[in-house]
């Protein structure tokens, strides 16, 4: 299983970035997918999830600013990040897993991509 994340970089506050995560080695369409982030000195946190049925959930701090989506034809999940803030600075990771009720359980992880929000 490989999850290849890309799209990170340096952006000014208020700017936008779109992260992509291309999956291989799994039946993508039946998997729930997630984006996580880890800032220096902090624990990794779950930012957004999308079920195989395309239902989405977000951590409160990104609601209204971030959008998770998936393209099953391309085996890819995206994270559109708008109105970025310095506190969004972190390494972002994608995962593939299962959703059971309200909970998401990651099974496979991609490498991280660094997002830096700074003027």
């Amino acid at each position: 299983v490989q999850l290849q994340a890309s799209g990170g970089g340096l952006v000014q506050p208020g700017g936008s970035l779109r992260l992509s995560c291309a999956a291989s080695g799994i039946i993508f369409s039946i998997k729930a997918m997630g984006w996580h982030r880890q800032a220096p000195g902090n624990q990794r946190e779950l930012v957004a999830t999308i079920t195989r049925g395309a239902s989405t959930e977000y951590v409160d701090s990104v609601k209204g600013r971030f959008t998770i989506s998936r393209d099953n034809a391309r085996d890819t999940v995206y994270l559109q990040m708008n109105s970025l803030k310095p506190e969004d600075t972190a390494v972002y990771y994608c995962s593939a897993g299962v959703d059971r009720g309200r909970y998401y359980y990651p099974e496979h992880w991609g490498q991280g991509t660094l997002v830096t929000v700074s003027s």
Side-chain angles (χ1 to χ4, degrees):
V1 177
Q2 283 195 328
L3 300 173
Q4 185 70 39
S6 60
L10 173 64
V11 63
Q12 292 187 341
S16 297
L17 280 176
R18 188 176 82 154
L19 306 183
S20 300
C21 175
S24 60
I26 58 173
I27 304 174
F28 181 82
S29 61
I30 68 171
K31 287 295 188 183
M33 301 295 294
W35 284 99
H36 314 249
R37 66 186 179 186
Q38 187 167 18
N42 289 0
Q43 289 187 332
R44 189 174 298 189
E45 68 168 343
L46 179 60
V47 173
T49 60
I50 185 166
T51 68
R52 53 185 173 174
S55 296
T56 59
E57 294 283 347
Y58 301 91
V59 68
D60 285 347
S61 59
V62 308
K63 283 181 180 177
R65 300 189 298 122
F66 289 12
T67 302
I68 188 171
S69 61
R70 64 190 298 157
D71 184 343
N72 288 344
R74 298 178 184 272
D75 290 352
T76 300
V77 62
Y78 304 98
L79 186 68
Q80 178 68 44
M81 304 185 294
N82 299 328
S83 302
L84 282 161
K85 304 176 181 180
E87 52 264 42
D88 295 317
T89 295
V91 178
Y92 283 72
Y93 300 88
C94 62
S95 67
V98 296
D99 59 290
R100 295 195 179 98
R102 296 180 58 190
Y103 300 100
Y104 170 71
Y105 298 92
E107 297 175 321
H108 308 286
W109 292 91
Q111 94 293 354
T113 185
L114 177 62
V115 172
T116 303
V117 184
S118 175
S119 54

